[in-house]
Amino acid sequence: MALTSAMLENALESAVACTRSMPADDALQPGEGETREEREARNDRLVGARLAANSSVNLLTPVLLNACRKASEKRPLTDLESDLVDLARLAAPTPQDVAGYGRAFAGLEADRSGALFPADTAGLGADSSYSYADAARDLPKYWDRISDLPNVVKAGASGDAVSLPAAQDVQRFGWSRPLPTEASEPLGPLPPVYAHSAELAIYQATCIAQTEGENGDDEVYFVLHTAHKDKGNTSTSETVGNFKEGVTREYHHKHDVAISLKAKEYPPAPKFGGALGIIEAWEEDNGKSQVLEEIRKKADEISGKLIEGVKDPTKTKGQLQAAAGVIMAIVSLFIQAWCDDFIAMDSFELSDLDFENQVRFGPVLVRKNDYGEEVLNWGKYDVFMRCQYAQRQVM
């Protein structure tokens, strides 16, 4: 869905309204027999609600919008601002819409901007600047804020089940992410020549119950999140359509959980001491396009640059990666005007032995309420997955 400047203005107005009175969960969920008009109205509410829900950690959206203003006024841009304007240009239908993004942000009154964005960037103006160095200074403190959000996945005490967020919170925020399971020292740089990775693959999915409130058959993609002591990683599968009750479809998605690199030969298989993972199913609002893929790639590039300059001995590499990933996920949600619906999720834990033995497993993704009980009439999926080690030459 292309983000016009008019849509952005509406989203900001809706988000301001949500900071005063957040819509009820039912107003953000697809309903049985939902018409196209009802879905479009709900999507408008959803974009605003997600912007408001993420206000405490939405560090970079003001930087992006203010950079659009500066670019339209021919003002100099910092390195980060230039990258974010490039991201905005991928999403905007016309150059005029990029300028409109900037005008929409400039038109926000201070109290409204302060309600939608954190203090570090809410007050940016035409004469302000915000660089990668500024982000490196601010990023570490967002770890604690992110940790406290209700849609973050946390590992329980030893032997306890993983604590999954409520489905309503995932739908409201538009994302979820597991946190690294323990602290570790940052990994030193290695020449990326040969790689030996602990890889997780999705091969098949079976629809147990079709999603309510969606016209036609389901178009489903999966989001995999894993975290262990060294790093966290998130990947998104391809979208596969024509799902309805009882239908099984093929996927070809691979996800790196851990990786070892060596200059002259393949290193031993990585030993990461176990990982926490979650898998989410999302129902796509519109067919994925090359534009969205380019947006995702650019967002990943910016995320990688964000942590390069961070020098904070109290934060590990995994924590910084998680924080940068979440902050860029929010920017991506906003700039894509993403209104896909969360269907269901499940968690899993993996060990080194699972990858050595190429364990196959099939998590059943179930939508649950705040009490951990299955909510009836929601889409459920059975996913076939496999752990394996894989070698490849990357340079």
Side-chain angles (χ1 to χ4, degrees), residues 295-316:
I295 288 173
R296 184 178 295 113
K297 289 178 183 177
K298 187 65 180 180
D300 288 344
E301 174 192 322
I302 295 171
S303 182
K305 290 181 180 179
L306 282 176
I307 65 170
E308 287 181 0
V310 178
K311 308 296 182 186
D312 187 330
T314 69
K315 298 294 181 290
T316 67

Side-chain angles (χ1 to χ4, degrees), residues 5 12 31 68 77 126 139 145 175 213 236 255 265 277 282-283 310 344 358:
S5 56
L12 291 176
C68 290
L77 302 176
L139 182 63
R145 300 186 194 182
W175 62 275
T236 302
H255 171 97
E265 59 184 4
W282 291 80
E283 217 293 318
V310 178
Q358 297 189 28

Side-chain angles (χ1 to χ4, degrees), residues 61-373:
T61 294
V63 183
L64 180 148
L65 298 177
N66 192 57
C68 290
R69 175 189 181 182
K70 292 172 65 176
S72 68
E73 296 175 357
K74 309 298 184 186
R75 296 175 183 266
L77 302 176
T78 68
D79 48 1
L80 175 57
E81 290 169 342
S82 179
D83 277 349
L84 289 171
V85 169
D86 288 343
L87 184 66
R89 286 171 176 154
L90 289 172
T94 69
Q96 289 73 28
D97 285 297
V98 175
Y101 297 169
R103 288 193 299 272
F105 178 69
L108 279 177
E109 297 175 2
D111 60 336
R112 292 186 163 198
S113 183
L116 292 181
F117 307 114
D120 290 316
T121 53
L124 294 175
D127 296 325
S128 304
S129 64
Y130 196 86
S131 66
Y132 277 110
D134 295 316
R137 176 199 64 215
D138 293 334
L139 182 63
K141 63 187 175 186
Y142 283 82
W143 170 258
D144 292 334
R145 300 186 194 182
I146 290 168
S147 301
D148 291 336
L149 293 175
N151 55 315
V152 167
V153 180
K154 300 181 179 69
S158 178
D160 291 346
V162 172
S163 176
L164 287 177
Q168 292 90 333
D169 288 328
V170 180
Q171 173 78 345
R172 184 181 297 276
F173 282 78
W175 62 275
S176 67
R177 193 68 56 98
L179 301 182
T181 53
E182 61 183 76
S184 72
E185 292 300 317
L187 298 176
L190 291 172
V193 178
Y194 296 93
H196 198 160
S197 60
E199 188 176 80
L200 191 58
I202 301 176
Y203 288 99
Q204 287 182 336
T206 299
C207 178
I208 302 171
Q210 189 174 349
T211 310
E212 297 287 353
E214 178 65 23
N215 294 323
D217 296 340
D218 284 354
E219 295 177 295
V220 177
Y221 61 92
F222 296 100
V223 180
L224 274 175
H225 308 288
T226 54
H228 57 89
K229 63 182 180 180
D230 289 328
K231 68 174 292 186
N233 193 24
T234 296
S235 65
T236 302
S237 78
E238 70 270 30
T239 300
V240 174
N242 304 116
F243 271 114
K244 53 187 175 183
E245 187 172 338
V247 169
T248 297
R249 305 281 287 169
E250 300 292 326
Y251 280 80
H252 304 279
H253 180 67
K254 295 180 180 179
H255 171 97
D256 282 337
V257 176
I259 190 165
S260 295
L261 301 173
K262 204 167 183 180
K264 297 182 179 179
E265 59 184 4
Y266 288 114
K271 299 294 183 182
F272 52 91
L276 164 69
I278 60 174
I279 179 171
E280 304 168 1
W282 291 80
E283 217 293 318
E284 191 170 280
D285 181 34
N286 290 292
K288 284 283 190 293
S289 68
Q290 185 61 38
V291 172
L292 293 187
E293 291 301 319
E294 291 300 320
I295 288 173
R296 184 178 295 113
K297 289 178 183 177
K298 187 65 180 180
D300 288 344
E301 174 192 322
I302 295 171
S303 182
K305 290 181 180 179
L306 282 176
I307 65 170
E308 287 181 0
V310 178
K311 308 296 182 186
D312 187 330
T314 69
K315 298 294 181 290
T316 67
K317 183 177 181 180
Q319 290 174 325
L320 295 173
Q321 286 174 325
V326 165
I327 287 171
M328 283 311 301
I330 297 166
V331 172
S332 295
L333 285 178
F334 183 56
I335 206 65
Q336 291 176 30
W338 188 42
C339 297
D340 297 354
D341 285 312
F342 171 72
I343 297 177
M345 72 191 314
D346 199 1
S347 65
F348 51 88
E349 294 190 39
L350 306 169
S351 70
D352 297 317
L353 285 176
D354 291 329
F355 290 88
E356 291 176 10
N357 297 328
Q358 297 189 28
V359 169
R360 302 184 181 197
F361 64 105
V364 178
L365 282 66
V366 179
R367 189 173 179 97
K368 298 181 179 181
N369 62 17
D370 291 322
Y371 305 101
E373 300 165 340

